[in-house]
Coordinates of all heavy atoms in Angstrom, one line a residue:
M202 N 0.8 -1.2 0.0 CA 0.0 0.0 0.0 C 0.9 1.2 0.0 O 1.7 1.3 0.8 CB -0.7 0.1 1.2 CG -1.8 -0.4 1.7 SD -2.9 -0.2 2.7 CE -3.0 1.4 3.3
G203 N 0.6 2.0 -0.8 CA 1.6 2.7 -1.0 C 2.1 4.0 -1.4 O 1.6 4.7 -2.3
L204 N 3.2 4.3 -0.8 CA 3.9 5.5 -1.1 C 4.4 5.4 -2.5 O 4.3 6.4 -3.2 CB 5.1 5.7 -0.1 CG 4.6 6.1 1.3 CD1 5.8 6.2 2.2 CD2 3.9 7.5 1.2
A205 N 4.9 4.3 -2.9 CA 5.4 4.2 -4.3 C 4.3 4.5 -5.3 O 4.5 5.2 -6.3 CB 5.9 2.7 -4.5
A206 N 3.1 3.9 -5.1 CA 2.0 4.1 -6.0 C 1.6 5.6 -6.0 O 1.3 6.2 -7.1 CB 0.9 3.2 -5.7
L207 N 1.6 6.2 -4.9 CA 1.2 7.6 -4.8 C 2.1 8.5 -5.5 O 1.8 9.5 -6.1 CB 1.0 8.1 -3.4 CG -0.2 7.5 -2.6 CD1 -0.1 7.8 -1.2 CD2 -1.5 8.0 -3.2
K208 N 3.4 8.2 -5.5 CA 4.4 9.0 -6.1 C 4.6 8.8 -7.6 O 5.2 9.6 -8.2 CB 5.7 8.8 -5.4 CG 5.8 9.5 -4.0 CD 7.2 9.3 -3.4 CE 7.2 9.9 -2.0 NZ 8.5 9.6 -1.3
S209 N 4.1 7.7 -8.1 CA 4.3 7.5 -9.5 C 3.3 8.3 -10.3 O 2.2 8.6 -9.9 CB 4.1 6.0 -9.8 OG 2.8 5.6 -9.6
S210 N 3.7 8.7 -11.4 CA 2.9 9.6 -12.3 C 2.2 8.7 -13.3 O 2.6 7.6 -13.5 CB 3.8 10.6 -13.0 OG 4.7 10.0 -13.7
A211 N 1.1 9.3 -13.8 CA 0.3 8.5 -14.7 C 0.8 8.6 -16.2 O 1.3 9.6 -16.6 CB -1.1 9.1 -14.7
W212 N 0.6 7.4 -16.8 CA 1.0 7.3 -18.2 C -0.4 7.2 -19.0 O -1.3 6.5 -18.6 CB 1.8 6.1 -18.5 CG 3.2 6.2 -18.0 CD1 3.6 6.0 -16.7 CD2 4.3 6.5 -18.8 NE1 4.9 6.1 -16.7 CE2 5.4 6.4 -17.9 CE3 4.6 6.8 -20.1 CZ2 6.7 6.7 -18.3 CZ3 5.9 7.1 -20.5 CH2 6.9 7.0 -19.7
F213 N -0.5 7.9 -20.1 CA -1.7 7.8 -21.0 C -1.2 7.4 -22.4 O -0.2 7.9 -22.8 CB -2.5 9.1 -21.0 CG -3.0 9.5 -19.7 CD1 -2.4 10.4 -18.9 CD2 -4.2 8.9 -19.3 CE1 -2.9 10.8 -17.7 CE2 -4.8 9.3 -18.1 CZ -4.1 10.2 -17.2
T214 N -2.0 6.7 -23.1 CA -1.9 6.5 -24.5 C -3.0 7.2 -25.2 O -4.2 7.0 -24.9 CB -2.0 5.0 -24.9 OG1 -0.9 4.3 -24.2 CG2 -1.7 4.9 -26.4
L215 N -2.7 8.2 -26.0 CA -3.6 9.0 -26.7 C -3.8 8.5 -28.1 O -2.8 8.2 -28.8 CB -3.2 10.5 -26.8 CG -2.8 11.2 -25.5 CD1 -2.4 12.6 -25.8 CD2 -3.9 11.1 -24.5
Y216 N -5.0 8.3 -28.6 CA -5.3 7.9 -30.0 C -5.7 9.1 -30.7 O -6.8 9.7 -30.4 CB -6.3 6.8 -30.0 CG -5.8 5.6 -29.2 CD1 -6.1 5.4 -27.9 CD2 -5.1 4.6 -29.9 CE1 -5.6 4.3 -27.1 CE2 -4.6 3.5 -29.2 CZ -4.9 3.4 -27.8 OH -4.4 2.3 -27.1
I217 N -5.0 9.5 -31.7 CA -5.2 10.7 -32.4 C -5.4 10.4 -33.9 O -4.6 9.7 -34.5 CB -4.0 11.7 -32.3 CG1 -3.7 12.0 -30.8 CG2 -4.3 13.0 -33.0 CD1 -2.4 12.6 -30.5
R218 N -6.5 11.0 -34.5 CA -6.7 10.8 -35.9 C -6.4 12.1 -36.6 O -6.9 13.2 -36.3 CB -8.2 10.4 -36.1 CG -8.6 10.2 -37.5 CD -9.9 9.6 -37.7 NE -9.9 8.2 -37.1 CZ -11.0 7.6 -36.6 NH1 -12.1 8.2 -36.6 NH2 -10.8 6.4 -36.0
C219 N -5.6 11.9 -37.7 CA -5.2 13.1 -38.4 C -6.5 13.6 -39.2 O -7.2 12.9 -39.8 CB -4.2 12.7 -39.5 SG -3.7 14.0 -40.6
E220 N -6.7 14.9 -39.1 CA -7.8 15.5 -39.8 C -7.6 15.6 -41.4 O -8.6 15.7 -42.1 CB -8.0 17.0 -39.3 CG -8.6 17.1 -38.0 CD -10.1 16.9 -37.9 OE1 -10.7 16.7 -39.0 OE2 -10.7 16.9 -36.8
N221 N -6.4 15.4 -41.8 CA -6.1 15.5 -43.2 C -6.2 14.2 -43.9 O -7.0 14.0 -44.9 CB -4.7 16.1 -43.4 CG -4.4 16.3 -44.9 OD1 -5.2 16.9 -45.6 ND2 -3.3 15.9 -45.3
C222 N -5.5 13.2 -43.4 CA -5.4 11.9 -44.1 C -6.2 10.8 -43.4 O -6.3 9.7 -43.8 CB -4.0 11.5 -44.4 SG -3.1 11.0 -42.9
M223 N -6.7 11.1 -42.2 CA -7.6 10.2 -41.4 C -6.9 9.0 -40.8 O -7.5 8.0 -40.4 CB -8.8 9.8 -42.2 CG -9.7 10.9 -42.7 SD -10.3 12.0 -41.4 CE -11.5 11.0 -40.7
R224 N -5.6 9.1 -40.8 CA -4.8 8.0 -40.2 C -4.8 8.1 -38.7 O -4.7 9.2 -38.2 CB -3.4 7.9 -40.7 CG -3.2 7.4 -42.1 CD -1.7 7.3 -42.4 NE -1.4 6.8 -43.7 CZ -1.3 7.5 -44.8 NH1 -1.4 8.8 -44.8 NH2 -1.1 6.9 -46.0
D225 N -4.9 7.0 -38.1 CA -4.8 7.0 -36.6 C -3.4 6.8 -36.1 O -2.6 6.1 -36.7 CB -5.7 5.9 -36.0 CG -7.1 6.1 -36.2 OD1 -7.5 7.2 -36.3 OD2 -7.9 5.1 -36.2
S226 N -3.0 7.5 -35.1 CA -1.7 7.3 -34.5 C -1.9 7.3 -33.0 O -2.9 7.7 -32.4 CB -0.7 8.4 -34.9 OG -1.2 9.7 -34.6
E227 N -0.9 6.7 -32.4 CA -0.9 6.6 -30.9 C 0.3 7.5 -30.4 O 1.3 7.6 -31.0 CB -0.7 5.2 -30.5 CG -1.8 4.2 -30.9 CD -1.5 2.8 -30.5 OE1 -0.6 2.6 -29.7 OE2 -2.2 1.9 -31.0
R228 N 0.0 8.0 -29.3 CA 1.1 8.8 -28.6 C 1.0 8.5 -27.1 O 0.0 8.7 -26.5 CB 0.8 10.3 -28.9 CG 1.9 11.2 -28.4 CD 1.7 12.6 -28.6 NE 2.8 13.4 -28.2 CZ 3.7 13.8 -29.1 NH1 3.5 13.7 -30.4 NH2 4.8 14.5 -28.6
V229 N 2.1 8.2 -26.6 CA 2.2 7.9 -25.1 C 2.8 9.1 -24.4 O 3.8 9.7 -24.9 CB 3.1 6.7 -24.9 CG1 3.2 6.4 -23.4 CG2 2.6 5.4 -25.5
V230 N 2.1 9.6 -23.4 CA 2.5 10.7 -22.7 C 2.6 10.4 -21.2 O 1.8 9.6 -20.7 CB 1.6 11.9 -22.9 CG1 1.7 12.4 -24.3 CG2 0.2 11.6 -22.5
Q231 N 3.5 11.0 -20.5 CA 3.7 10.8 -19.1 C 3.4 12.1 -18.4 O 4.0 13.2 -18.8 CB 5.0 10.3 -18.7 CG 5.2 10.1 -17.2 CD 6.6 9.6 -16.8 OE1 7.5 9.9 -17.5 NE2 6.7 9.0 -15.7
M232 N 2.5 12.1 -17.4 CA 2.2 13.3 -16.7 C 3.3 13.5 -15.7 O 3.9 12.6 -15.1 CB 0.9 13.1 -15.9 CG -0.3 13.0 -16.8 SD -0.7 14.5 -17.7 CE -0.3 14.0 -19.4
P233 N 3.6 14.8 -15.4 CA 4.6 15.1 -14.4 C 4.0 14.7 -13.0 O 2.8 14.6 -12.9 CB 4.7 16.6 -14.5 CG 3.5 17.1 -15.2 CD 3.1 16.0 -16.1
I234 N 4.9 14.6 -12.0 CA 4.4 14.2 -10.7 C 4.0 15.4 -10.0 O 4.6 16.5 -10.0 CB 5.6 13.5 -9.9 CG1 5.9 12.2 -10.6 CG2 5.2 13.3 -8.5 CD1 7.2 11.6 -10.1
G235 N 2.8 15.4 -9.4 CA 2.3 16.5 -8.6 C 0.9 16.3 -8.2 O 0.2 15.3 -8.6
D236 N 0.3 17.2 -7.4 CA -1.0 17.0 -6.9 C -2.1 17.5 -8.0 O -3.2 17.0 -7.9 CB -1.2 17.9 -5.7 CG -0.4 17.4 -4.5 OD1 -0.1 16.2 -4.5 OD2 0.0 18.2 -3.7
E237 N -1.7 18.3 -8.9 CA -2.8 18.9 -9.7 C -2.7 18.3 -11.1 O -3.4 18.8 -12.0 CB -2.5 20.4 -9.9 CG -2.5 21.2 -8.6 CD -3.9 21.2 -7.9 OE1 -4.9 21.3 -8.7 OE2 -3.9 21.1 -6.7
V238 N -2.0 17.2 -11.3 CA -2.0 16.6 -12.6 C -3.1 15.6 -12.7 O -3.6 15.0 -11.8 CB -0.6 15.9 -12.9 CG1 0.5 16.9 -12.8 CG2 -0.4 14.8 -11.9
P239 N -3.6 15.4 -14.0 CA -4.7 14.4 -14.2 C -4.2 13.0 -13.9 O -3.1 12.7 -14.2 CB -5.1 14.7 -15.6 CG -3.9 15.3 -16.3 CD -3.2 16.1 -15.2
R240 N -5.1 12.2 -13.3 CA -4.7 10.8 -13.0 C -5.5 9.8 -13.9 O -5.2 8.6 -13.9 CB -4.9 10.5 -11.5 CG -3.9 11.2 -10.7 CD -4.3 11.2 -9.2 NE -5.6 12.0 -9.1 CZ -6.3 12.0 -8.0 NH1 -5.9 11.3 -6.9 NH2 -7.4 12.7 -7.9
D241 N -6.6 10.2 -14.5 CA -7.3 9.3 -15.3 C -7.8 10.1 -16.6 O -7.6 11.3 -16.7 CB -8.5 8.6 -14.6 CG -9.5 9.7 -14.1 OD1 -9.6 10.7 -14.7 OD2 -10.1 9.4 -13.0
A242 N -8.4 9.3 -17.5 CA -8.7 9.9 -18.8 C -9.6 11.1 -18.7 O -9.5 12.1 -19.4 CB -9.3 8.8 -19.7
E243 N -10.6 11.0 -17.8 CA -11.6 12.1 -17.7 C -10.9 13.4 -17.2 O -11.1 14.5 -17.6 CB -12.6 11.7 -16.6 CG -14.0 12.4 -16.8 CD -15.1 11.6 -16.1 OE1 -15.3 10.4 -16.4 OE2 -15.6 12.2 -15.2
E244 N -10.0 13.2 -16.2 CA -9.3 14.4 -15.7 C -8.4 15.0 -16.8 O -8.2 16.2 -16.9 CB -8.5 14.0 -14.5 CG -9.3 13.7 -13.2 CD -8.6 13.4 -12.0 OE1 -7.3 13.5 -12.0 OE2 -9.2 13.0 -11.0
L245 N -7.8 14.1 -17.6 CA -6.9 14.5 -18.6 C -7.6 15.4 -19.6 O -7.2 16.4 -20.1 CB -6.2 13.3 -19.3 CG -5.2 13.7 -20.4 CD1 -4.1 14.5 -19.9 CD2 -4.8 12.4 -21.1
I246 N -8.8 15.0 -20.0 CA -9.6 15.7 -21.0 C -9.9 17.1 -20.5 O -10.0 18.1 -21.3 CB -10.9 14.9 -21.3 CG1 -10.6 13.7 -22.2 CG2 -11.9 15.8 -22.1 CD1 -11.7 12.7 -22.3
E247 N -10.2 17.2 -19.2 CA -10.6 18.5 -18.6 C -9.3 19.4 -18.3 O -9.5 20.5 -17.9 CB -11.4 18.2 -17.3 CG -12.7 17.6 -17.6 CD -13.4 17.2 -16.3 OE1 -12.8 17.3 -15.3 OE2 -14.5 16.7 -16.4
S248 N -8.2 18.8 -18.5 CA -7.0 19.6 -18.1 C -6.4 20.4 -19.2 O -6.8 20.2 -20.4 CB -5.9 18.6 -17.5 OG -5.3 18.0 -18.6
V249 N -5.4 21.2 -18.9 CA -4.8 22.0 -19.9 C -3.6 21.2 -20.6 O -3.1 21.6 -21.6 CB -4.2 23.3 -19.4 CG1 -5.3 24.1 -18.8 CG2 -3.1 23.0 -18.3
Y250 N -3.3 20.0 -20.1 CA -2.2 19.2 -20.6 C -2.4 18.8 -22.1 O -1.4 18.8 -22.8 CB -1.9 18.0 -19.8 CG -1.3 18.4 -18.4 CD1 -2.1 18.4 -17.3 CD2 0.1 18.7 -18.3 CE1 -1.5 18.8 -16.0 CE2 0.6 19.0 -17.1 CZ -0.2 19.0 -16.0 OH 0.4 19.4 -14.8
L251 N -3.6 18.5 -22.4 CA -3.9 18.1 -23.8 C -3.4 19.1 -24.8 O -2.9 18.8 -25.9 CB -5.3 17.7 -23.9 CG -5.8 16.3 -23.5 CD1 -7.3 16.2 -23.9 CD2 -5.0 15.3 -24.2
E252 N -3.7 20.4 -24.5 CA -3.4 21.5 -25.4 C -1.9 21.6 -25.6 O -1.5 22.2 -26.6 CB -4.0 22.8 -24.9 CG -5.6 22.7 -24.9 CD -6.1 23.9 -24.1 OE1 -5.4 24.9 -23.9 OE2 -7.3 23.8 -23.7
K253 N -1.2 21.1 -24.7 CA 0.3 21.3 -24.7 C 1.0 20.2 -25.5 O 2.2 20.3 -25.7 CB 0.9 21.4 -23.3 CG 0.4 22.6 -22.5 CD 1.0 22.6 -21.2 CE 0.5 23.8 -20.3 NZ 0.9 23.8 -18.9
I254 N 0.2 19.2 -25.8 CA 0.9 18.1 -26.5 C 0.9 18.3 -28.0 O -0.2 18.4 -28.6 CB 0.1 16.8 -26.2 CG1 0.1 16.5 -24.7 CG2 0.7 15.6 -27.0 CD1 -0.8 15.4 -24.2
P255 N 2.0 18.5 -28.6 CA 2.1 18.8 -30.0 C 1.7 17.5 -30.8 O 2.0 16.4 -30.5 CB 3.5 19.2 -30.3 CG 4.3 18.5 -29.2 CD 3.3 18.4 -28.0
F256 N 1.1 17.7 -32.0 CA 0.7 16.7 -32.9 C 1.3 17.0 -34.3 O 1.2 18.1 -34.8 CB -0.8 16.5 -33.0 CG -1.2 15.5 -34.1 CD1 -1.1 14.2 -33.9 CD2 -1.7 16.0 -35.3 CE1 -1.5 13.3 -34.9 CE2 -2.1 15.2 -36.3 CZ -2.0 13.8 -36.1
R257 N 1.9 15.9 -34.9 CA 2.3 16.1 -36.3 C 2.1 14.7 -36.9 O 2.8 13.8 -36.5 CB 3.8 16.6 -36.4 CG 4.1 17.0 -37.8 CD 5.5 17.7 -37.8 NE 5.6 18.6 -38.9 CZ 6.0 18.1 -40.1 NH1 6.3 16.9 -40.3 NH2 6.1 19.0 -41.2
C258 N 1.3 14.6 -37.9 CA 1.0 13.4 -38.6 C 2.3 13.0 -39.4 O 2.8 13.8 -40.2 CB -0.2 13.5 -39.5 SG -0.5 12.0 -40.5
Q259 N 2.8 11.8 -39.1 CA 4.0 11.3 -39.8 C 3.9 11.2 -41.3 O 4.7 11.8 -42.0 CB 4.4 10.0 -39.2 CG 4.9 10.0 -37.8 CD 6.3 10.6 -37.6 OE1 7.0 10.8 -38.6 NE2 6.7 10.9 -36.4
P260 N 2.8 10.6 -41.8 CA 2.7 10.4 -43.2 C 2.5 11.7 -44.0 O 3.0 11.9 -45.1 CB 1.5 9.4 -43.5 CG 1.4 8.8 -42.1 CD 1.8 9.8 -41.1
C261 N 1.6 12.6 -43.5 CA 1.3 13.7 -44.3 C 1.7 15.1 -43.8 O 1.7 16.1 -44.4 CB -0.2 13.8 -44.6 SG -1.2 14.4 -43.2
G262 N 2.2 15.1 -42.6 CA 2.7 16.3 -42.0 C 1.7 17.3 -41.4 O 2.1 18.4 -41.0
S263 N 0.5 16.9 -41.4 CA -0.6 17.8 -40.9 C -0.4 18.0 -39.4 O 0.1 17.0 -38.7 CB -2.0 17.2 -41.1 OG -2.9 17.9 -40.4
V264 N -0.7 19.1 -38.9 CA -0.5 19.4 -37.4 C -1.9 19.4 -36.8 O -2.0 19.7 -35.6 CB 0.2 20.7 -37.1 CG1 1.7 20.5 -37.6 CG2 -0.5 21.8 -37.8
I265 N -3.0 19.1 -37.5 CA -4.3 19.1 -36.9 C -4.8 17.7 -36.7 O -4.9 16.9 -37.6 CB -5.3 19.8 -37.8 CG1 -4.8 21.2 -38.1 CG2 -6.7 19.8 -37.2 CD1 -5.6 22.0 -39.2
G266 N -5.0 17.3 -35.4 CA -5.4 16.0 -35.1 C -6.6 16.0 -34.2 O -6.8 17.0 -33.5
R267 N -7.4 15.0 -34.3 CA -8.5 14.9 -33.4 C -8.3 13.7 -32.4 O -8.0 12.6 -32.9 CB -9.8 14.6 -34.2 CG -11.1 14.5 -33.4 CD -12.2 14.1 -34.3 NE -12.5 14.9 -35.4 CZ -13.3 16.0 -35.3 NH1 -13.9 16.2 -34.2 NH2 -13.5 16.8 -36.3
L268 N -8.5 14.0 -31.2 CA -8.4 13.0 -30.2 C -9.6 12.0 -30.2 O -10.7 12.4 -30.1 CB -8.3 13.6 -28.8 CG -7.9 12.7 -27.6 CD1 -6.5 12.1 -27.8 CD2 -8.1 13.4 -26.3
V269 N -9.3 10.8 -30.5 CA -10.4 9.8 -30.6 C -10.5 8.8 -29.4 O -11.4 8.1 -29.3 CB -10.4 9.0 -31.9 CG1 -10.6 10.0 -33.1 CG2 -9.0 8.3 -32.1
G270 N -9.4 8.8 -28.6 CA -9.5 7.9 -27.5 C -8.3 8.1 -26.5 O -7.3 8.5 -26.9
I271 N -8.5 7.7 -25.3 CA -7.4 7.7 -24.3 C -7.5 6.4 -23.5 O -8.6 6.0 -23.1 CB -7.6 8.9 -23.3 CG1 -7.6 10.2 -24.1 CG2 -6.5 8.8 -22.3 CD1 -7.8 11.4 -23.2
T272 N -6.4 5.8 -23.3 CA -6.3 4.7 -22.3 C -5.2 5.0 -21.4 O -4.3 5.8 -21.6 CB -6.0 3.3 -23.0 OG1 -4.8 3.4 -23.7 CG2 -7.1 3.0 -24.0
G273 N -5.2 4.3 -20.3 CA -4.1 4.5 -19.3 C -4.6 5.3 -18.2 O -5.8 5.4 -17.9
G274 N -3.6 5.9 -17.5 CA -3.9 6.6 -16.3 C -3.8 5.7 -15.1 O -3.4 4.6 -15.2
T275 N -4.0 6.3 -14.0 CA -3.8 5.6 -12.7 C -5.2 4.9 -12.3 O -6.1 5.7 -12.1 CB -3.4 6.5 -11.6 OG1 -2.2 7.2 -12.0 CG2 -3.1 5.8 -10.3
A276 N -5.2 3.7 -12.3 CA -6.4 3.0 -11.9 C -6.6 3.1 -10.4 O -5.6 2.9 -9.6 CB -6.4 1.5 -12.3
Y277 N -7.8 3.3 -9.9 CA -8.0 3.4 -8.5 C -8.0 2.0 -7.8 O -7.9 1.9 -6.6 CB -9.3 4.2 -8.2 CG -9.2 5.6 -8.6 CD1 -9.8 6.1 -9.7 CD2 -8.4 6.5 -7.9 CE1 -9.7 7.4 -10.1 CE2 -8.3 7.8 -8.2 CZ -9.0 8.3 -9.4 OH -8.9 9.6 -9.7
D278 N -8.2 1.0 -8.6 CA -8.4 -0.3 -8.0 C -7.2 -1.2 -8.2 O -7.3 -2.4 -8.1 CB -9.6 -1.0 -8.6 CG -9.5 -1.2 -10.0 OD1 -8.6 -0.6 -10.6 OD2 -10.4 -1.8 -10.6
N279 N -6.0 -0.6 -8.4 CA -4.8 -1.5 -8.6 C -4.1 -1.7 -7.3 O -3.0 -2.0 -7.2 CB -3.9 -0.9 -9.6 CG -3.4 0.5 -9.2 OD1 -3.7 1.0 -8.2 ND2 -2.5 1.0 -10.0
Ligands
ZN423 ZN1 -2.1 12.8 -41.9

């Protein structure tokens, strides 16, 4: 029970679809450690962190992506 768990930061996998070529890509992000950082997908969506994550589609170079899914975060029942 734990201190280790409390101090670890959350990892998320973002699924982003390019608005130009409609290809899906995945991006893994790690939240910084702190009290005000999002710990699950819902909190991440409501946070400002998403806006700070740059997107660039590898195949076509578009920088406009739509977030289509999030997995990961800190599960409360682990
Ligand atoms: Zn693209």
Side-chain angles (χ1 to χ4, degrees):
M202 272 200 25
L204 286 175
L207 286 172
K208 285 181 179 175
S209 66
S210 58
W212 289 81
F213 295 98
T214 302
L215 309 180
Y216 299 89
I217 302 167
R218 181 167 297 154
C219 175
E220 287 280 358
N221 185 48
C222 69
M223 304 303 285
R224 283 186 177 89
D225 290 337
S226 60
E227 297 177 11
R228 187 182 185 100
V229 177
V230 294
Q231 183 184 23
M232 293 294 112
I234 296 171
D236 293 333
E237 303 294 322
V238 299
R240 287 167 298 173
D241 58 32
E243 206 164 298
E244 290 181 9
L245 180 63
I246 288 169
E247 294 170 353
S248 77
V249 296
Y250 287 98
L251 276 184
E252 297 168 16
K253 296 178 180 175
I254 298 169
F256 171 77
R257 192 168 202 280
C258 179
Q259 293 285 348
C261 79
S263 170
V264 294
I265 302 170
R267 181 189 300 270
L268 187 68
V269 293
I271 299 175
T272 60
T275 304
Y277 293 106
D278 59 353
N279 62 357

